[in-house]
Amino acid sequence: MTGMVVDCGYGVTHAVPISDGCAVRQAIQSTDIGGKDVTEHLMKILSERGYSFKTAHDKAVARDIKEKLTYVAVNFDEEMQRAAESTQGEKSYTMPDDKVVTNTMSVSDVQSLFCPSLIGKESRGIYEIMFDAMMKSDVYIRKDLKSDVYIRKDLYGNIVLSGGCTMIPGIEDRMHKKTIDYAAPGYNIRVVAMPERKHAAWIGGSILASLSNFQDKCITKQDYDEYGPSIVHKKCL
């Protein structure tokens, strides 16, 4: 099985290329952008509109607004223009104190996942780390493994989304369109967004733990004392 896993969670996003069932760890890319950033940006916007968002409970409310009303636009610029010209599609959210927040079905909050500079971060966006991982995969396999195989085409054909932040509506279509824009002509683009992707990491962990050779991958205290943190790369990857 060969493909690209894009895992976007609470505070970090990873792009992990898989070749024949094994992670190409030399090509794994990460960025410190995730659902937390979207939530905090939404809190900032709502605070500027006169709503109080200071406590942990307020953050939970903002996260609920994000999960229920925000979405990813296939074309961000066109969607922003449409929103500016029309109130069609506006939604409302009733706060715990019965105040009603309107116009919260925001596309601009989620855009920070793709363009972190919008919220003042210098991190790379989801696209960048995914495409960097694809490029580095081919470089590593051809140069370090002395192989004449290109796996990029296979990576484009099997992009798997995982993590809670990928549950935001529209992200699958956005990733598909952007990947088509970047891919070479003739590539078959496939983006997989399973309904249970929010818990994909836990599901994968449970499957791994049920395998007969799982004990061989467990790290003992003796292993750690002898090799230190690097033992993770020796036994687990």
Side-chain angles (χ1 to χ4, degrees):
M1 177 64 72
T2 297
M4 172 68 68
V5 176
V6 178
D7 183 88
C8 185
Y10 177 72
V12 66
T13 298
H14 303 285
V16 184
I18 308 294
S19 178
D20 292 331
C22 296
V24 186
R25 62 184 181 89
Q26 291 82 357
I28 295 174
Q29 301 291 299
S30 300
T31 184
D32 61 340
I33 192 81
K36 172 178 68 70
D37 299 284
V38 177
T39 301
E40 291 177 350
H41 184 53
L42 179 58
M43 291 174 65
K44 178 176 180 291
I45 291 175
L46 293 174
S47 295
E48 292 172 349
R49 294 176 57 185
Y51 301 98
S52 178
F53 280 87
K54 297 179 180 179
T55 67
H57 177 263
D58 294 335
K59 190 170 186 176
V61 172
R63 184 169 60 247
D64 192 48
I65 294 174
K66 175 192 70 176
E67 293 175 353
K68 290 181 177 178
L69 301 181
T70 59
Y71 66 102
V72 175
V74 174
N75 188 307
F76 176 70
D77 294 332
E78 289 183 2
E79 192 71 7
M80 289 296 290
Q81 182 177 352
R82 184 196 65 78
E85 296 174 349
S86 171
T87 58
Q88 184 179 3
E90 281 191 0
K91 288 189 176 182
S92 61
Y93 181 91
T94 303
M95 305 275 282
D97 60 0
D98 291 332
K99 290 182 179 179
V100 178
V101 181
T102 58
N103 196 28
T104 52
M105 194 176 72
S106 175
V107 63
S108 61
D109 302 322
V110 187
Q111 181 66 10
S112 58
L113 295 174
F114 308 98
C115 187
S117 62
L118 291 176
I119 57 173
K121 300 191 74 168
E122 297 182 358
S123 310
R124 293 175 295 168
I126 294 178
Y127 300 143
E128 292 178 83
I129 65 167
M130 185 180 78
F131 295 128
D132 284 349
M134 288 180 174
M135 295 293 292
K136 291 180 183 297
S137 295
D138 270 348
V139 170
Y140 170 72
I141 289 175
R142 291 181 62 82
K143 181 179 179 181
D144 293 356
L145 298 186
K146 311 299 182 184
S147 172
D148 59 356
V149 174
Y150 283 102
I151 68 167
R152 194 183 319 168
K153 188 172 184 178
D154 294 326
L155 297 180
Y156 275 118
N158 193 24
I159 300 171
V160 179
L161 304 182
S162 73
C165 207
T166 66
M167 298 299 293
I168 298 174
I171 194 168
E172 178 184 0
D173 294 335
R174 174 72 170 271
M175 293 294 291
H176 188 270
K177 180 182 183 302
K178 196 67 175 181
T179 305
I180 290 176
D181 293 341
Y182 274 79
Y187 276 19
N188 177 40
I189 308 301
R190 177 170 172 260
V191 179
V192 180
M194 299 178 294
E196 65 274 16
R197 61 189 180 278
K198 180 178 181 179
H199 305 294
W202 294 101
I203 294 172
S206 66
I207 294 173
L208 178 64
S210 68
L211 298 179
S212 59
N213 64 344
F214 175 69
Q215 292 299 323
D216 297 335
K217 297 183 180 296
C218 290
I219 299 172
T220 65
K221 182 178 184 303
Q222 182 179 353
D223 291 333
Y224 189 87
D225 290 342
E226 182 176 353
Y227 297 101
S230 64
I231 187 61
V232 172
H233 300 291
K234 294 178 183 294
K235 294 195 71 173
C236 301
L237 297 176

